[in-house]
Amino acid sequence: MTGRAIARRHLLAGAGLGAFAAPAILRAQEEAIRIGEINSYTTQPAFLIPYRNAWILAQEQVNAAGGINGRRIETLFRDDAGRPEDAVRLAGELLRSERVHLLAGGFLSHVGLAVADFANQHRRLYVASEPLSDALVWSRGNRYTFRLRASTYMQSAMLVEEAAKLPARRWATVAPNYEYGQSAVRWFKELLQRARPDVRFVAEQFPALGRIDAGATVQALAAANPEAIFNVTFAADLTNFVRQGATRGLFERRQVVSLLTGEPEYLEPLGDEAPENWIVTGYPWEQIDTPEHSAFREAYQRRWNTNPYLGSVVGYETVNAIATMLRRVNGTETEAMVEAMRGLRFQSVFGPVEFRAIDHQSTMGAYVGRTVLRDGRGTMADWRYADGANYLPPDEVVRQLRPAAT
Amino acid sequence: MVPPVLEVEGLAKAFGGVQALAGVSLRVAAGEMLALIGPNGSGKSTCFNLINGQLRPDAGRVRLAGRDITGLPPRRAWRLGVGRTFQLTATFGSMTVRENVQVALLSHRRRLHGLWRPLPGQARDAAMALLARLGLEEQAERPCGILAYGDLKRVELAMALAHEPRLLLMDEPTAGMAPPERAALMALAAAIARERGIAVLFTEHDMDVVFGHADRVLVLERGRVIAEGAPAAVRADPRVREVYLGTGAVLGAG
Amino acid sequence: MAENLLLQALSGLASASSLFLVAAGLTVIFGVTRIVNFAHGSLYMLGAYLAWTLVTALPRGPLGFWGGVLGAALLVGLIGVLVEVLLLRRIYRAPELFQLLATFGVVLIVQDLALLVWGPQDLLGPRAPGLRGSVEILGLRFPLYDLFLIAVGPAVLGLLLLLFHRTRWGTLVRAATQDREMVGALGVNQRLLFTSVFFLGACLAGLGGALQLPRESVNLHMDLAIIVEAFVVVVVGGLGSLVGAFLAALLIGELHAFGILVFPRITLVLVFLVMAVVLVLRPHGLLGRPPEAPPAGAGGAEPPLRPAPPALRRLGAAALAAAVLLPPFADAYALSVLTEMAIFVLFAASLHFIMGPGGMASFGHAAYFGLGAYAAALLAKWAAAPMAAGLLLAPFAAGLFGLLFGWFCVRLSGVYAAMLTLAFAQIAWSVAFQWVEVTGGDNGILGVWPDAWAADPLAYYYLTLAFCLGATLLLRRVLHAPFGYALRAQRDSPLRAEALGVDAFQVRWLAFSLAALAAGIAGGFFAYAKGSVFPTALSIPRSVDALLMVLLGGVRTLSGPIVGAIAFTGLQEQLMRLVELWRLALGAVIVALVLFFPQGLAGAARAAYERRHGPAGA
C-alpha cells in the first residue's frame, strides 16, 4: 500500500504549500504571472490530487526552463468544496485581492459554468480544465472561456463509433441523474440512431449520483433484456454497479460501452473485479510510449513517486496550454490572451492539440479501447488515440449550438 | 327568565370503554362559586375539559348564558367569555408577569396580530391595574420563568380575568400551595368573582378551601353526581361521607 | 415477467436491510438522548473504512473477514463512546438541537481525517467468503450476499428487541425512550445509560458500514450519502421506534426498487416524497407516539425580551456605523464577502424567527432562500426583467411557497416538523434539478448580474445592506410586537395560549410564511451577488449552514443569528482560503465553540454581561 502512503504524504505537503508557502512566494515574485486555480479539492480528491500534483510539476518545469519570457508563473489554488457560489466568491478573491492574471481549473460542470459566467462578466480569461458539460463551450459558451478536456459530446461520439459496429440492436442505458449523465445518454442515443437507424433503446436507468441502488438498478436493466448497455456511471456508483452486475450476470453475452471507465481513477479501485471486454474511453498510462508521454510519465513518477492518473494529464496540459499561450503574448492583457488562446496549437502528451477558434474547445482526445484484466488489475487493450478534432460536429452545427458568443 | 351563566346538561364521555363521565348536569349563576369535588378519577378533570372545549363530549350540552358552546375549541370558548386556570400552572416562561397579562389583554382586544408597535407599551395600565388587584405589582417586571409557585397561580388568575370572563374555570387552583396562601388566593378569587359577577366553577382537593369558599358544592363519583347543595348539607350527606371514607380526605367535623 | 418482479422485490429487501442497520442505531440514540446525531453517517463510513483495513490486514478466510467486520463495528462503537464522553455529554443541557452543531463539527473532522488516513481513491474490499456467488431463483441469478443481507435486517431487529425486552438494561432504555424524566427518578446512572446507548448505536452504524464492504466500494462520500436517508427512515418509522424504522426501510427499499421501473428519474426525490406523504398523513411517523412536551427546562427558561442594554446598543450602533462607513475603503473582494455576510445575516435571522421564538426548527429553510433566488433568476432569464423586478418578486415567490409548505409543516412538532420542511425543500430542489427546460437543471441559470446602476460592488453592497439589514431589523421589530409575543406564547405554553384565544396554527403559519418571505429577500440578493443560481441554493447543505449559524450564535438571543451568520461566514471564508485541511480546522473550531459556549456566542456574551450588570436584554 505504498501508493496510498505516498498520496497521504503529498497531501500533507500540499497542505503546507497552500497554507504557508503562498505569502513567501508573493513577496519574492512581484513580476510573476499569477494563475488563480479553483477546484473542488475536498469533494473530488481522487481526481484532483493527482491533477494538482501534475500541475505543480508542469509549473516547476516551465519555471526551471526560464519561465515565460523571463517571468515565473505561480498558481494560487483554492478549494470551492463543490459549491458554485463559493467558487464565484473565490474567483472574485483571486481576481481582485490576489490580482491573478487569469483563472483556471474546474471539475464539476456547474461550478465550471459559474466561474465561466463570472469570467465573462468581468472580462477575464478562464481556462477550464476538466468540466465536461457541453454547455460550457456551446449553449453557454462565452468569449473568455476555453476548455481543455474532451467534452461529453466528444467522448460519447467516440463510443458511438464503436457501438455502431456492434451487432446489438436492443440497447439500455444507465447514467447518473444529473446533467452530465443526461447529456451523455442524449447524445449517445441521437448519434447512435443516426448511424444505426435499426437500433432501439429499451430501458434507461438514472440512479442518483453517488447513491446508486445497484441491485435494483441492475435488475431493472436485466428485466428489459437488452443486447447491449451504455454506461455512464463512474467512481463509487460504477464499482457498485459492476459488482452487482457481475454477480447477477448482467454483463454476460451483452456488450457494454462505457464512458470514462478506462481511466485509472475508476479502473484501479475495481482491482481484479474490473470488467473485461467493455468498450471504454480512458487512459492506458502504462502502455503509451510516445516520446512525449514517456517523458511526462517518468517526470511525474520521479517527482511524486506514484503513477499518473488521467487527472494528472489534465492538470499538466492545462499548465502546458497556458504557458504556450503566454509565450505568444507579450504581457498578460486579457484580450490579447484570449486572442492567443483562439486557435492555439500545442503539443500535449497525447499528441497535437488545438483550441478551436470556433467554440474554444480543445481537440485533446481520449483513448478508446477494450478493458482487460492483466496481473490482477484492469487496463485497456486494443486501444487507439481518438483525436478530439474528429469527434466534433460540423462548423455550421457548432455555430447553432453556440448562439451567444463569438 | 335569564339563563344561568353556565348550564351543563347530561354531559358524558368515555375513554376506550371506561365511562369517565356519565350524564352530568350542573348550573352556575353569575357571582356564584360552585365547587366540583370527588375522589381521584371521579371525572372532575374530564368534566372541566369538556366544558372548556379541550375534549368533545360523547353526549350532552354545554351552554354559556344560553348559547350552545358544546365542543367549541378552548380559544373560541374563551372569546365567548370562558376563563381558565390549570392544575399545573401554564404561563409564558419567557415573558415577565406584566407581559403575560398584556398578551391576554391584547388577545381579548384582538390586537395580538400587531406586527409593529412593541407590546410592552400596549395595554400597560390595564395590565398593571389587574396585577394590582391580585397583589402582584411588585412582581410585574419579573420573568414568569423564575416566579414562586404561589405567585404563578395568581398570574394565571390575572390572565384568566383579563378578558372579563363570564365564567371562570379553576382546576385545583390551590394545588401545591401552603395552607395560608391557599385561603388568601381563594378569598381573593371569591371577592373578585362577586364584585364582577363572574360565575366560578372550581375543583379542589383541600376541603377547607371547598367548604370555606364555595357557595354550592357538587360531588362526583365515577362520573356521576351523587350530591349537590350548600356546603353544610353536602358535608352531612351520608353518601358523600361514605365515598370519602378511607380516602384520607378530611371532611371536617363541622 | 413475474420472476423479474420477484427479483426486483428481493433487491429492494436487500437495500432495506442495509438501510435499517444504519437507521436502527440512529433511532436508538435519538430515542434515549434526543440527540439529532448528524455524525451517524460518519460512523457508518468509519465502519466501512475500518472493516476494509481489518479485513485486508487479517488473514484471508471466513475468520479474517467476519472478525474484521465485527471488529470494525466494535471499534466504531468505541469511537462513538469517545464522542459521547468527550463532547456530547457536556452539552446535554444545552437548548434543543444544539447537539446537532457539535455532531456537525465531528462530521467535518472525520471527513478530513478519513482522507488523510485512507487516501483519496475509492477502496474495494474483498467479497464475503462463502457468499461470493449467486443462487438461481426462478432461473435468474441473485447474489448470495444480498440474500444474507435480507436475513441480517430481521435478525438484528430480533436481537435488538430481545435486548430491549428481556434485559434490565433494555427495560431502562425503553423507559428512557418514553420518558426521560423517569430515568432520573428511577435512580439510574443516566450517564452510563447514555454512554452505553451511544455505544450500541455507533456499533450498529459501524456494522452497517462494514457489511457494505462486499457490495460497495469504500469512499469519502459515504457519510453524507447515507445520513439523510437514514434520518428519513427514522422519522418515517416514528422517532425511537425500531419496528417503525424497519417498516420504513422496507417501504422505502421496495418503493425505490419498483419506482425506478416506472420512473427511472425518480431516484433523487423518492424518499422525500414518501416522507412527505407519511408525515402529512401520520404526523408522528408510522409507529411513533406524540412526543412528550419538549424539555422546557433544558438549559433553564428563556429570559424575557428586554430593550437592548446600553452596552449592546452602543455595540450595535458601532457595528452599523462600521458597516456603512468603512466599505468605501475596502477592496472589491472584501465587499463581496461583506455582501454575502449581510445576506446570510438575514437568512439566519429568518430561520431564527421560527426556530427560536416560534419553537419550530426547520431542516429545509434553504427552500425559501433558493426559491427567492430562482424567482429572481427566472424572471431575469425568461422575461429579461430588470434587477429590481427580480428582487421584488423573490420574497413573494418564497412567501407563497412558505404559505403552501407551511400549511402542512406547522401542524407537526419537533423533529417531525423539521423533517417535513426538509422533505418539501428536497422536492423543490429536485424540481430545480430536473426541470432542465425551465431551470437549466443542475447547470443552473447564468448571467443574473446586477443592472448597471448597481453593478459597482460598493453600490451593490449598500443595496444589499439596506434591504437585508432592514428586513432583519423588521423581523426583530415583529418579535417585540404583539405578534412576536403570540409566537412565543404558543411555544412557551400551547395550552395557555389556546386558553387565551390564540390560534397557534394561524400564528405559526403566518410566522413560517414571514420567515420564508424574509429568506426569499436574502435569496434574491444572493442570486444577483453571484451572477448565477444553481440547485445548491436550495440544497440540504445550504439549510444546514443556516442551522449552524443560528445555533452557533445562540438560538435564545435575538442577536444570535446575526453574530452566528457573521462568525460562520467569516470563519469558513478564511479557513477555506488559507488552510488546506479547512474542514478539519472548521470542525475543530465548531467543537471548541460548542464546548466553551453551549448557549452560543451571543448567549455567552449575554451571560458574561449579566454576571457583571444583572439581567440584560436580548
Side-chain angles (χ1 to χ4, degrees):
Chain A
M1 292 297 109
T2 45
R4 198 164 338 278
I6 288 153
R8 195 185 322 152
R9 205 174 66 233
H10 288 144
L11 189 73
L12 285 167
L17 212 81
F20 306 112
I25 294 172
L26 208 150
R27 254 179 282 120
Q29 293 293 327
E30 269 177 82
E31 39 169 33
I33 296 173
R34 292 157 71 82
I35 305 169
E37 204 279 348
I38 305 168
N39 238 317
S40 310
Y41 288 104
T42 43
T43 54
Q44 307 294 335
F47 187 92
L48 290 173
I49 288 176
Y51 165 92
R52 184 171 46 192
N53 287 346
W55 182 294
I56 291 168
L57 169 67
Q59 179 174 298
E60 286 167 356
Q61 288 177 346
V62 169
N63 288 337
I68 311 290
N69 307 325
R71 292 171 75 177
R72 288 167 51 86
I73 56 171
E74 63 181 47
T75 309
L76 287 90
F77 293 102
R78 292 287 183 268
D79 172 32
D80 58 45
R83 295 189 288 247
E85 53 271 24
D86 284 351
V88 167
R89 189 185 69 230
L90 291 166
E93 187 243 348
L94 290 168
L95 282 183
R96 290 151 169 180
S97 280
E98 299 292 352
R99 310 249 161 230
V100 299
H101 299 103
L102 70 152
L103 295 170
F107 176 88
L108 301 167
S109 291
H110 60 309
V111 177
L113 284 165
V115 175
D117 195 45
F118 179 89
N120 185 42
Q121 174 74 6
H122 294 89
R123 296 166 196 279
R124 303 301 284 267
L125 174 62
Y126 174 45
V127 182
S129 43
E130 167 75 12
L132 295 177
S133 175
D134 301 306
L136 194 66
V137 293
W138 291 348
S139 63
R140 302 179 190 198
N142 66 56
R143 171 171 170 79
Y144 297 92
T145 301
F146 295 80
R147 191 235 324 265
L148 175 73
R149 185 73 197 279
S151 66
T152 311
Y153 175 90
M154 293 159 75
Q155 304 211 34
S156 301
M158 292 170 193
L159 288 179
V160 164
E161 189 180 31
E162 302 299 320
K165 297 177 194 157
L166 299 173
R169 283 201 302 265
R170 290 168 59 86
W171 282 78
T173 65
V174 54
N177 196 359
Y178 74 116
E179 196 267 352
Y180 162 64
Q182 290 156 1
S183 321
V185 168
R186 201 181 58 240
W187 286 130
F188 186 83
K189 280 184 172 175
E190 189 180 318
L191 297 176
L192 184 59
Q193 271 171 334
R194 203 180 299 161
R196 284 278 302 275
D198 58 331
V199 154
R200 280 197 307 131
F201 286 88
V202 294
E204 59 176 18
Q205 280 301 316
F206 284 100
L209 176 62
R211 299 207 319 270
I212 190 173
D213 185 350
T217 306
V218 164
Q219 206 60 52
L221 289 174
N225 198 20
E227 290 163 346
I229 296 168
F230 175 57
N231 167 60
V232 194
T233 66
F234 58 96
D237 289 336
L238 173 70
T239 315
N240 305 347
F241 178 65
V242 166
R243 268 205 162 162
Q244 284 284 348
T247 321
R248 294 176 190 236
L250 177 68
F251 309 131
E252 288 166 21
R253 296 181 302 281
R254 286 197 180 101
Q255 272 293 344
V256 181
V257 171
S258 187
L259 266 179
L260 310 187
T261 307
E263 296 176 8
E265 277 86 341
Y266 308 128
L267 213 43
E268 195 175 87
L270 282 162
D272 61 359
E273 296 184 33
E276 288 198 273
N277 231 0
W278 286 20
I279 297 169
V280 297
T281 59
Y283 170 44
W285 60 273
E286 78 284 18
Q287 303 172 50
I288 307 171
D289 293 322
T290 60
E292 293 86 5
H293 186 265
S294 299
F296 160 73
R297 187 171 56 209
E298 277 153 34
Y300 187 87
Q301 284 166 333
R302 214 168 29 245
R303 177 68 175 83
W304 299 106
N305 244 331
T306 176
N307 300 320
Y309 290 82
L310 184 66
S312 313
V313 176
V314 173
Y316 190 81
E317 295 305 346
T318 307
V319 176
N320 193 359
I322 291 172
T324 312
M325 175 273 292
L326 287 170
R327 287 197 189 96
R328 306 261 163 91
V329 194
N330 200 11
T332 52
E333 201 270 318
T334 297
E335 297 302 328
M337 290 196 289
V338 168
E339 286 308 322
M341 282 299 292
R342 291 164 63 95
L344 181 82
R345 287 164 193 271
F346 69 101
Q347 182 64 40
S348 80
V349 300
F350 285 179
V353 171
E354 177 188 347
F355 274 95
R356 296 162 22 124
I358 187 174
D359 60 0
H360 296 190
Q361 169 66 45
S362 102
T363 60
M364 187 164 101
Y367 291 83
V368 179
R370 280 189 307 110
T371 53
V372 287
L373 271 178
R374 269 184 210 147
D375 310 324
R377 48 180 207 83
T379 183
M380 287 170 70
D382 305 332
W383 49 266
R384 62 182 174 88
Y385 177 62
D387 189 330
N390 303 329
Y391 297 93
L392 281 155
D395 286 0
E396 63 274 14
V397 176
V398 169
R399 278 188 205 99
Q400 277 169 19
L401 288 169
R402 185 177 161 93
T406 49
Chain B
M1 196 189 89
V2 180
V5 174
L6 176 67
E7 185 177 19
V8 171
E9 252 180 48
L11 219 48
K13 179 80 182 174
F15 296 107
V18 179
Q19 195 71 31
L21 215 58
V24 168
S25 301
L26 57 85
R27 294 165 158 239
V28 194
E32 185 188 24
M33 295 201 38
L34 173 65
L36 189 62
I37 66 170
N40 282 335
S42 61
K44 296 182 308 257
S45 290
T46 307
C47 185
F48 251 67
N49 289 335
L50 289 173
I51 295 173
N52 178 231
Q54 253 164 291
L55 295 174
R56 286 188 72 92
D58 299 336
R61 292 279 137 212
V62 179
R63 288 195 196 86
L64 186 71
R67 175 168 177 176
D68 193 341
I69 62 163
T70 317
L72 282 189
R75 60 171 189 280
R76 301 274 306 278
W78 183 83
R79 289 257 172 245
L80 297 170
V82 179
R84 160 138 209 205
T85 68
F86 294 93
Q87 188 172 346
L88 294 167
T89 57
T91 58
F92 308 131
S94 72
M95 301 175 200
T96 66
V97 170
R98 175 169 50 74
E99 289 166 350
N100 265 274
V101 177
Q102 281 173 300
V103 167
L105 284 166
L106 288 179
S107 177
H108 177 46
R109 298 177 190 180
R110 297 185 178 275
R111 279 182 11 215
L112 210 48
H113 277 80
L115 295 172
W116 185 249
R117 275 183 59 206
L119 172 130
Q122 299 188 51
R124 194 184 183 105
D125 295 342
M128 288 311 290
L130 203 51
L131 289 175
R133 183 68 189 86
L134 287 152
L136 281 167
E137 313 100 303
E138 309 275 295
Q139 315 284 354
E141 301 308 318
R142 297 185 68 202
C144 265
I146 61 169
L147 231 51
Y149 196 68
D151 287 339
L152 277 182
K153 287 275 182 190
R154 283 192 287 167
V155 175
E156 270 211 304
L157 190 53
M159 293 166 87
L161 291 170
H163 69 316
E164 291 155 19
R166 286 188 277 192
L167 171 68
L168 181 59
L169 303 172
M170 300 204 291
D171 200 357
E172 308 226 358
T174 68
M177 295 171 83
E181 268 189 305
R182 295 181 183 182
L185 182 76
M186 286 312 289
L188 183 63
I192 293 173
R194 282 187 194 114
E195 81 193 28
R196 301 190 180 182
I198 302 170
V200 178
L201 175 67
F202 69 103
T203 65
E204 187 52 67
H205 271 299
D206 182 337
M207 292 305 146
D208 289 341
V209 168
V210 171
F211 293 110
H213 298 280
D215 297 317
R216 272 191 308 132
V217 179
L218 190 139
V219 188
L220 279 184
E221 202 226 354
R222 292 187 196 163
R224 290 176 197 284
V225 179
I226 57 163
E228 182 182 357
V234 165
R235 184 151 41 187
D237 191 314
R239 286 184 59 199
V240 177
R241 300 192 78 91
E242 186 188 328
V243 164
Y244 271 88
L245 205 67
T247 62
V250 184
L251 284 176
Chain C
M1 199 60 215
E3 61 271 20
N4 274 320
L5 290 180
L6 175 73
L7 257 70
Q8 202 69 20
L10 286 177
S11 303
L13 285 181
S15 311
S17 260
S18 311
L19 206 49
F20 168 68
L21 284 184
V22 194
L26 197 59
T27 205
V28 168
I29 289 177
F30 182 89
V32 176
T33 66
R34 295 294 186 273
I35 285 183
V36 177
N37 181 20
F38 211 80
H40 206 70
S42 307
L43 295 171
Y44 167 83
M45 178 170 80
L46 284 175
Y49 269 114
L50 285 169
W52 182 87
T53 300
L54 289 176
V55 169
T56 48
L58 291 171
R60 289 209 154 211
L63 208 64
F65 182 86
W66 297 110
V69 167
L70 292 177
L74 289 175
L75 278 177
V76 173
L78 292 178
I79 293 170
V81 167
L82 215 63
V83 171
E84 199 273 341
V85 170
L86 295 180
L87 180 60
L88 298 175
R89 173 179 289 185
R90 291 153 206 274
I91 51 171
Y92 280 129
R93 300 209 59 82
E96 219 189 349
L97 287 182
F98 190 70
Q99 297 88 3
L100 187 147
L101 180 61
T103 55
F104 187 77
V106 174
V107 169
L108 290 173
I109 292 173
V110 170
Q111 281 181 331
D112 264 353
L113 286 183
L115 174 61
L116 284 180
V117 173
W118 285 285
Q121 306 291 343
D122 295 358
L123 306 175
L124 193 69
R127 294 183 180 229
L131 299 172
R132 286 167 204 277
S134 55
V135 285
E136 288 231 340
I137 298 174
L138 300 179
L140 296 173
R141 274 197 258 161
F142 190 76
L144 263 174
Y145 191 76
D146 283 22
L147 271 187
F148 163 75
L149 272 185
I150 292 175
V152 165
V156 168
L157 175 67
L159 285 176
L160 287 174
L161 289 178
L162 273 182
L163 181 67
F164 287 146
H165 288 266
R166 293 289 162 83
T167 66
R168 180 177 145 70
W169 182 83
T171 311
L172 289 175
V173 168
R174 278 189 300 135
T177 305
Q178 273 154 30
D179 185 356
R180 265 180 101 175
E181 306 298 319
M182 206 167 96
V183 186
L186 286 173
V188 175
N189 184 340
Q190 190 168 328
R191 289 192 149 192
L192 201 63
L193 185 69
F194 278 27
T195 308
S196 55
V197 161
F198 224 88
F199 174 77
L200 177 68
C203 270
L204 287 169
L207 184 66
L211 284 177
Q212 289 306 308
L213 204 57
R215 289 183 103 204
E216 308 192 344
S217 73
V218 185
N219 64 76
L220 295 165
H221 299 288
M222 291 177 86
D223 51 350
L224 297 183
I226 196 81
I227 183 66
V228 176
E229 238 161 271
F231 261 114
V232 170
V233 168
V234 167
V235 166
V236 167
L239 289 159
S241 165
L242 271 174
V243 179
F246 187 75
L247 291 179
L250 280 184
L251 181 70
I252 287 174
E254 290 301 333
L255 276 178
H256 194 269
F258 287 103
I260 61 171
L261 290 177
V262 190
F263 306 108
R265 294 187 192 218
I266 205 168
T267 49
L268 288 179
V269 71
L270 182 99
V271 293
F272 301 102
L273 283 175
V274 172
M275 177 161 73
V277 170
V278 168
L279 286 184
V280 166
L281 296 178
R282 291 187 66 93
H284 306 109
L286 294 175
L287 295 184
R289 302 157 197 263
E292 50 185 301
E302 181 179 304
L305 287 182
R306 292 215 169 88
L312 182 65
R313 242 181 280 172
R314 278 195 296 275
L315 195 71
L320 186 64
V324 173
L325 297 177
L326 294 185
F329 307 100
D331 73 5
Y333 172 61
L335 283 175
S336 74
V337 174
L338 288 174
T339 305
E340 214 166 294
M341 277 184 180
I343 291 167
F344 285 133
V345 162
L346 176 58
F347 183 35
S350 70
L351 174 61
H352 173 263
F353 188 77
I354 46 172
M355 192 173 154
M360 303 176 274
S362 166
F363 294 165
H365 201 52
Y368 312 101
F369 183 83
L371 283 165
Y374 266 100
L378 287 170
L379 200 65
K381 182 183 174 191
W382 294 108
M387 179 176 79
L391 293 180
L392 199 69
L393 180 69
F396 286 103
L400 210 66
F401 278 96
L403 279 172
L404 178 67
F405 295 159
W407 194 79
F408 295 99
C409 295
V410 303
R411 292 162 191 275
L412 275 55
S413 58
V415 175
Y416 293 106
M419 289 300 280
L420 189 56
T421 61
L422 176 78
F424 285 121
Q426 283 300 95
I427 291 167
W429 171 82
S430 71
V431 169
F433 199 96
Q434 303 220 43
W435 198 9
V436 179
E437 300 77 28
V438 172
T439 63
D442 49 318
N443 275 350
I445 301 170
L446 304 180
V448 192
W449 296 102
D451 293 350
W453 61 272
D456 179 60
L458 188 64
Y460 193 75
Y461 165 70
Y462 278 130
L463 188 71
T464 309
L465 185 73
F467 277 86
C468 288
L469 206 63
T472 305
L473 292 175
L474 278 179
L475 284 179
R476 211 180 149 95
R477 175 97 193 182
V478 170
L479 287 179
H480 283 102
F483 181 75
Y485 278 79
L487 189 58
R488 279 192 292 143
Q490 61 80 30
R491 174 200 64 184
D492 283 2
S493 172
L495 203 60
R496 167 56 67 194
E498 171 80 18
L500 285 183
V502 176
D503 186 341
F505 168 74
Q506 250 185 35
V507 170
R508 288 157 70 97
W509 191 27
L510 182 59
F512 193 94
S513 310
L514 270 180
L517 188 132
I521 298 178
F525 278 94
F526 189 71
Y528 275 98
K530 295 295 177 186
S532 47
V533 176
F534 297 90
T536 49
L538 30 70
S539 64
I540 296 175
R542 179 61 63 214
S543 292
V544 171
D545 278 358
L547 268 175
L548 297 181
M549 290 173 196
V550 171
L551 293 170
L552 191 64
V555 73
R556 292 180 164 186
T557 54
L558 292 193
S559 346
I562 302 176
V563 175
I566 294 173
F568 186 79
T569 315
L571 251 179
Q572 185 162 325
E573 188 270 330
Q574 288 288 318
L575 290 176
M576 270 180 80
R577 214 152 46 85
L578 300 176
V579 186
E580 180 108 356
L581 296 172
W582 64 268
R583 291 182 299 189
L584 184 63
L586 184 64
V589 171
I590 288 177
V591 166
L593 290 176
V594 162
L595 286 177
F596 288 113
F597 306 118
Q599 299 289 326
L601 296 174
R606 176 168 67 190
Y609 180 87
E610 283 179 356
R611 271 199 296 280
R612 228 179 292 161
H613 303 277

